[in-house]
Amino acid sequence: MIQVPRGTQDILPKESYKWQFIEKKLHEIAKNYNYDEIRTPMFESTDLFVRAVGGSTDIVNKEMYTFQDKGDRSLTLRPEGTAPVARSYIENKMQHNVEQPVKLFYVAPMFRYERKQKGRYRQFVQFGVEAIGVEDPLIDVEILSMLMHIYQSFGLKNLKLVINSIGDIDSRTQYNKALVEHFSPRIDEFCHDCQTRIDSNPMRILDCKKDHDHELVKSAPRIYDYLNDESKAYFETVKAKLDELDIKYEVDYNLVRGLDYYTHTAFELMSDAEGFGAITTLCGGGRYNGLLEMIDGPAKTGIGFALSIERLLLALEAEGIDIPENKGIDIYVCTMTDQARDTAGTLLHKLRSRGVSADMDYENRKLKAQMKDADRKKARYTIVLGEDELQSSQAELKEMATGETKKLSFEEIINTLEEL
């Protein structure tokens, strides 16, 4: 039997209503912050991710789904959303838009070849936001405020926001030199990836999942001590505004994030809920001040974050928060004769065209079985069509919750349900 590919999942109707609920709320919150939706292709030029995400990252080296098309072009299923949005910003000349920053959001599947874990799949869905075109601590705070707003709007309480500053390019250069001096004498004690990163991107050693408990990681220099005055002032402004808004956070000087394009503010949101799992990160993001230039764009800066809907669902489950189920249909039409079934089909068409959700039995079952089916479908009302109803063009509209009935013409039934 052909099965779903490893690391992917079928989202069945008993679960898909949760996704619909979440996605609708995410769209509403994005609109409240004046972010507009963007939809980019599912695959892009491989070079986009190599240059933007970074050749030393696990994403590029280990996790990308890359293939040659029939024109012998190297393409990659998008592993993250920021680089495609940046590419679109450049290609569509959004830097010339009157309103800056350009504020965009997306809800889209991403693809990474990694070991399947709870809440992590090889195809997963991300909601992400990007504000491109302005460098201002207030934009950073807006992004962080929006992030907290999203999770709190679902009722989540066990949240921990962790922030750091990676500084500007000059600050990072000085800090990387200090890390090389710190790790080089004992780099052979680290994993192969870290031994490679010491030359290409030493900050990534601090983000290593295998060696995060190594004593040298714990005693590594703090990046804050290498920030220049401008970077420190920027970070202090972000923190002061978060304090003013009463948004709780912790500073973690080892937080560097996994992608090469981050500068200045970096952050992660974690779940402190009991039973959530060993991997507590819900989402992350940060500012990127050189990304567009890496892919031949203008010297424009941006900031954003991305969250996994799969992990959001896990967080809701860990805190015992239920998503409201579908309300069901407005009316279920029961039939007792073949002619009644034919009439029911016409009636359903009229109901649905007026915005009323309606269904009927298609298996020619007995009335009792049809009523049970109406219950399963959570029908708010039912009618029964038999010979008498067809002759009079009237039927009893029954409210299932109360048992109350009203005898109405077919047209009155349609008008009543449309008004309700």
Side-chain angles (χ1 to χ4, degrees), residues 36-48:
D36 294 315
E37 185 179 15
I38 184 171
R39 302 188 183 196
T40 61
M42 195 171 292
F43 55 87
E44 300 266 1
S45 167
T46 301
D47 191 46
L48 171 66

Side-chain angles (χ1 to χ4, degrees), residues 6 47 49 85 146 169 190 219 269 343 349 368 411 413:
R6 182 178 175 81
D47 191 46
F49 299 111
V85 171
M146 182 181 182
I169 300 300
F190 287 77
S219 63
L269 186 67
T343 301
H349 173 75
K368 185 177 180 180
E411 191 60 33
I413 289 172

Side-chain angles (χ1 to χ4, degrees), residues 139-344:
I139 297 293
D140 298 34
V141 174
E142 176 181 283
I143 287 286
L144 291 165
S145 172
M146 182 181 182
L147 173 65
M148 297 304 294
H149 182 180
I150 286 171
Y151 282 90
Q152 291 169 347
S153 73
F154 289 101
L156 290 166
K157 301 188 186 315
N158 297 302
L159 301 169
K160 182 172 73 172
L161 176 63
V162 179
I163 66 173
N164 191 22
S165 173
I166 303 175
D168 58 16
I169 300 300
D170 290 338
S171 299
R172 287 183 62 165
T173 300
Q174 297 304 314
Y175 183 54
N176 279 329
K177 289 179 181 178
L179 289 177
V180 170
E181 292 178 7
H182 179 75
F183 287 115
S184 289
R186 296 171 59 185
I187 193 62
D188 59 328
E189 299 174 17
F190 287 77
C191 69
H192 173 74
D193 289 339
C194 286
Q195 292 179 34
T196 302
R197 290 166 181 158
I198 193 70
D199 296 318
S200 60
N201 191 351
M203 284 179 62
R204 296 270 349 271
I205 297 175
L206 302 175
D207 197 35
C208 179
K209 296 179 178 64
K210 293 181 181 178
D211 294 320
H212 67 278
D213 288 328
H214 194 287
E215 61 177 300
L216 286 186
V217 172
K218 295 179 179 179
S219 63
R222 301 189 318 165
I223 190 170
Y224 188 81
D225 296 329
Y226 292 83
L227 298 182
N228 55 29
D229 291 342
E230 181 182 353
S231 295
K232 282 185 178 179
Y234 194 100
F235 192 43
E236 292 302 319
T237 303
V238 170
K239 291 194 294 181
K241 191 62 180 178
L242 290 174
D243 292 337
E244 183 182 326
L245 298 179
D246 199 28
I247 296 175
K248 307 300 181 186
Y249 63 89
E250 295 180 12
V251 177
D252 180 355
Y253 293 110
N254 281 344
L255 174 64
V256 296
R257 299 292 298 150
L259 308 181
D260 285 359
Y261 53 60
Y262 286 118
T263 54
H264 284 303
T265 310
F267 53 88
E268 289 185 354
L269 186 67
M270 303 176 183
S271 171
D272 278 343
E274 186 176 346
F276 180 68
I279 301 173
T280 61
T281 303
L282 290 170
C283 74
R287 176 163 286 284
Y288 41 90
N289 284 15
L291 171 60
L292 274 71
E293 292 169 273
M294 290 180 188
I295 52 176
D296 302 326
K300 290 286 187 178
T301 178
I303 184 170
F305 68 82
L307 65 87
S308 158
I309 293 183
E310 288 87 349
R311 294 192 66 74
L312 173 55
L313 285 165
L314 281 180
L316 294 171
E317 181 183 338
E319 293 198 27
I321 298 172
D322 294 324
I323 292 177
E325 291 192 42
N326 292 336
K327 295 179 180 179
I329 60 174
D330 295 320
I331 184 169
Y332 189 99
V333 180
C334 302
T335 60
M336 299 180 68
T337 66
D338 288 342
Q339 188 178 357
R341 284 164 54 78
D342 185 59
T343 301

Side-chain angles (χ1 to χ4, degrees), residues 102-115:
V102 176
K103 299 162 75 170
L104 305 167
F105 79 92
Y106 57 84
V107 182
M110 306 292 163
F111 305 86
R112 294 187 191 178
Y113 188 86
E114 57 182 350
R115 185 169 61 85

Side-chain angles (χ1 to χ4, degrees), residues 41-46 49 59 63-67 75-80 84 109-112 122-123:
M42 195 171 292
F43 55 87
E44 300 266 1
S45 167
T46 301
F49 299 111
I59 291 177
E63 299 173 1
M64 295 202 312
Y65 281 91
T66 298
F67 60 95
L75 301 174
T76 295
L77 297 179
R78 62 182 171 215
E80 59 93 44
M110 306 292 163
F111 305 86
R112 294 187 191 178
R122 292 177 176 177
Q123 176 179 320

